């Protein structure tokens, strides 16, 4: 198959969260399975410096955006003929300190930035010499691509236009803007109605994608069911129910080339099930690095996360407050809402011997935390898939998760299946329920044979991308 992917972030070039990991891995594993794959993504600040192998492509973009014309250059990176990256170089839009926002406030021209990006994607889809037969876009930033393609198929002589697929990574981020921004699309107003791009008097990029893409996916089977309900549907559940027959929930994979406990450049001490001592050495190193008392016998809990309401950080703060009288330690790496950053900093100040908090984004430290901890906390209110709990499992770090979305699909609690248990799940969004989960972990930590059983199950669980890529292939074939 010839597949063009498009995303506003792709690992290893740019990343704010799991979207980047997912698209980077999907591209790599589809190409490995023999498909011809292209990925269109913005050229953000520093990418060229960090990846000197990127080369200019003889392709100049000159596209309308409302009343203006915007120029962009394109850079490319190629792997073995079958995997191409196309970076859209539009400095005013993309050479900025962050991807989407600064100090918690979205850039005021985000609609124009990503409508322009979506037009670049449609332009590539139409004119690439290898003629993609499928364009697979991700999240609201590329939500207009399916409509731009459809419109050109119907009204602009593109009769062999490719099919389109939209993956929803998080229904809570919809790219909703005042209707005035619709003019940037240069599409006729006839699409701006409630069955099209309109959302309660506004323009919605994600809803546009949901209405006009040929195929829809989301990133776990349970989340695919949840988003068709009022509770999780973020006011799009009706639209999603209408399109349910074209919607699949496909669990993300883990790129085990990167998330591994042996041969991992971020981990000083390799380890495996057969040689587990390295994990303890990593734990002691991390305790030292983060100025905590070095003691391998203390249960170490960790979190690596965007500090957003979605992630249940309020109940995590409450539950830690309640539980920190116990003999335990906790480390956090995260950034996001000022309120949660402050909350965790204060917690560390009050419990300097038990809590270490790093505010920021640090790839290496995220691996070291996953490897060092005994337990990983992920009390999300909703979680489309979640990758950290799957990374934890591979690292022999028992996840404590709320029973929702992809967390429920990827972690096995003793009440689900005692033979295969590899984590601790709780139901209620409450401090009490998470504190109970932490208490269960403390009991498990003291029961070494049972803990070893959990760790064995966890480390042997397989979320390899080969399986995920095969599921995407099967789904694409249904519509091509
Ligand atoms: P989401 O995409 O909703 O943020 P996921 O669990 O799917 O959640 O993916 C989060 C990804 O971002 C993981 O790869 C995780 O390691 C990474 N990540 C999150 N916060 C940080 C951080 N502060 N530093 C480094 N990596 C982070
Ligand atoms: C989103 C979701 C997360 C998912 C990731 C990758 O950021 O919040 O649950 O794992 O996308 O699909």
């Amino acid at each position: 198959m010839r597949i063009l992917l498009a995303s506003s972030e792709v690992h290893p070039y740019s990343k704010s969260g799991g979207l980047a990991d997912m698209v980077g891995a999907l591209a790599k594993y589809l190409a490995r399975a023999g498909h011809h794959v292209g990925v269109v993504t913005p050229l953000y600040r520093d990418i060229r410096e960090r990846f000197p192998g990127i080369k200019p492509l003889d392709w100049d973009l000159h596209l309308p955006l409302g009343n203006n014309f915007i120029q962009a250059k394109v850079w490319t990176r190629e792997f073995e003929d079958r995997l191409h990256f196309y970076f859209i170089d539009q400095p005013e839009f993309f050479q900025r300190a962050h991807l989407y926002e600064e100090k918690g406030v979205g850039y005021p021209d985000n609609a124009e930035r990503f409508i322009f990006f979506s037009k670049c994607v449609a332009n590539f889809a139409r004119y690439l010499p290898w003629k993609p037969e499928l364009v697979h876009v991700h999240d609201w930033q590329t939500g207009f691509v399916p409509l731009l393609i459809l419109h050109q198929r119907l009204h602009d002589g593109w009769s062999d236009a490719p099919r389109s697929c939209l993956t929803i990574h998080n229904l809570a981020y919809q790219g909703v803007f005042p209707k005035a921004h619709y003019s940037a699309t240069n599409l006729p107003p006839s699409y701006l109605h409630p069955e099209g791009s309109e959302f309660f008097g506004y323009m919605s990029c994600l809803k546009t994608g949901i209405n006009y893409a040929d195929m829809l996916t989301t990133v776990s089977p349970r989340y695919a069911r949840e988003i068709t309900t009022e509770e999780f549907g973020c006011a799009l559940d009706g639209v999603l129910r209408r399109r349910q027959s074209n919607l699949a929930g496909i669990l993300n994979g883990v790129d085990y080339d990167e998330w591994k406990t042996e041969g991992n450049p971020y981990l000083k001490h390799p380890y495996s099930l057969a040689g587990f001592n390295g994990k303890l050495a990593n734990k002691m190193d991390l305790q030292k690095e983060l100025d905590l008392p070095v003691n391998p016998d203390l249960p170490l809990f960790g979190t690596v996360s965007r500090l957003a309401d979605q992630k249940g950080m309020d109940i995590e703060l409450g539950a830690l407050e309640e539980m920190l009288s116990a003999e335990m330690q906790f480390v956090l790496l995260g950034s996001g809402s000022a309120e949660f950053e402050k909350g965790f900093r204060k917690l560390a100040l009050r419990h300097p011997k038990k809590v270490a908090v790093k505010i920021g984004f640090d790839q290496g430290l995220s691996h070291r935390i996953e490897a060092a901890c005994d337990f990983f906390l992920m009390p999300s209110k909703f979680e489309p898939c979640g990758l950290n709990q799957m990374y934890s499992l591979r690292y022999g770090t028992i996840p404590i998760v709320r029973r929702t979305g992809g967390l429920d699909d990827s972690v096995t609690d003793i009440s689900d299946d005692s033979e295969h248990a590899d984590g601790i799940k709780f139901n209620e969004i409450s401090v009490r329920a998470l504190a109970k989960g932490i208490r269960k972990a403390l009991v498990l930590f003291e029961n070494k044979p049972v803990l070893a059983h959990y760790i064995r199950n966890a480390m042997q669980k397989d979320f390899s991308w080969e399986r995920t890529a095969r599921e995407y292939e099967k789904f694409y074939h249904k519509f091509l």
Side-chain angles (χ1 to χ4, degrees), residues 9 16-23 138-139 167-171 173 218-220 223 250 252 306 310-311 378 380 382-390 406-407 472:
E9 53 185 273
S16 78
L19 167 65
D21 290 11
M22 188 282 188
V23 178
H138 298 263
D139 275 356
T167 293
I168 301 165
H169 292 260
N170 193 333
L171 198 63
Y173 299 89
T218 187
V219 287
S220 70
Y223 192 61
I250 300 177
N252 287 334
R306 288 188 290 116
Q310 166 193 351
K311 302 292 178 181
M378 211 161 161
S380 308
F382 66 94
E383 194 60 77
C385 176
L387 296 172
N388 280 311
Q389 80 284 7
M390 300 202 265
L407 297 176
Y472 275 99

Side-chain angles (χ1 to χ4, degrees), residues 277-350:
N277 286 345
K279 187 166 170 79
L280 284 189
N282 287 318
K283 178 175 178 177
M284 291 191 286
D285 276 7
L286 187 80
Q287 289 170 325
K288 202 149 124 206
E289 176 184 346
L290 299 182
D291 268 335
L292 290 171
V294 176
N295 180 353
D297 297 328
L298 283 176
L300 178 61
F301 293 74
T303 288
V304 177
S305 184
R306 288 188 290 116
L307 301 182
D309 192 52
Q310 166 193 351
K311 302 292 178 181
M313 290 298 129
D314 49 347
I315 66 168
E316 183 160 319
L317 277 164
L320 286 166
E321 201 66 80
E322 190 174 319
M323 292 306 300
L324 277 166
S325 52
E327 286 291 297
M328 62 180 275
Q329 292 176 336
F330 169 73
V331 297
L332 171 116
L333 168 65
S335 62
S337 120
E339 176 199 341
F340 294 134
E341 289 184 359
K342 200 163 115 202
F344 280 106
R345 278 202 176 107
K346 272 168 81 180
L347 193 74
L349 280 176
R350 274 207 310 283

Side-chain angles (χ1 to χ4, degrees), residues 128-197:
L128 270 171
W130 54 270
K131 288 209 162 297
E133 54 202 315
L134 172 76
V135 178
H136 183 170
V137 303
H138 298 263
D139 275 356
W140 74 262
Q141 291 88 345
T142 49
F144 265 95
V145 174
L147 175 57
L148 290 164
I149 294 178
L150 178 73
H151 181 73
Q152 292 181 47
R153 176 195 297 163
L154 298 178
H155 304 287
D156 194 19
W158 190 8
S159 55
D160 60 347
R163 303 278 120 185
S164 60
C165 177
L166 166 73
T167 293
I168 301 165
H169 292 260
N170 193 333
L171 198 63
Y173 299 89
Q174 302 182 357
V176 172
F177 301 98
K179 268 182 180 175
H181 293 273
Y182 183 78
S183 62
T185 66
N186 300 87
L187 288 164
S190 52
Y191 297 112
L192 198 51
H193 56 76
E195 271 77 54
S197 296

Side-chain angles (χ1 to χ4, degrees), residues 171 174 199-200 207 229-230 232-240:
L171 198 63
Q174 302 182 357
F199 183 68
F200 296 107
K207 184 176 176 187
T229 66
E230 209 181 315
F232 292 94
C234 303
L236 288 174
D237 47 296
V239 187
L240 284 159

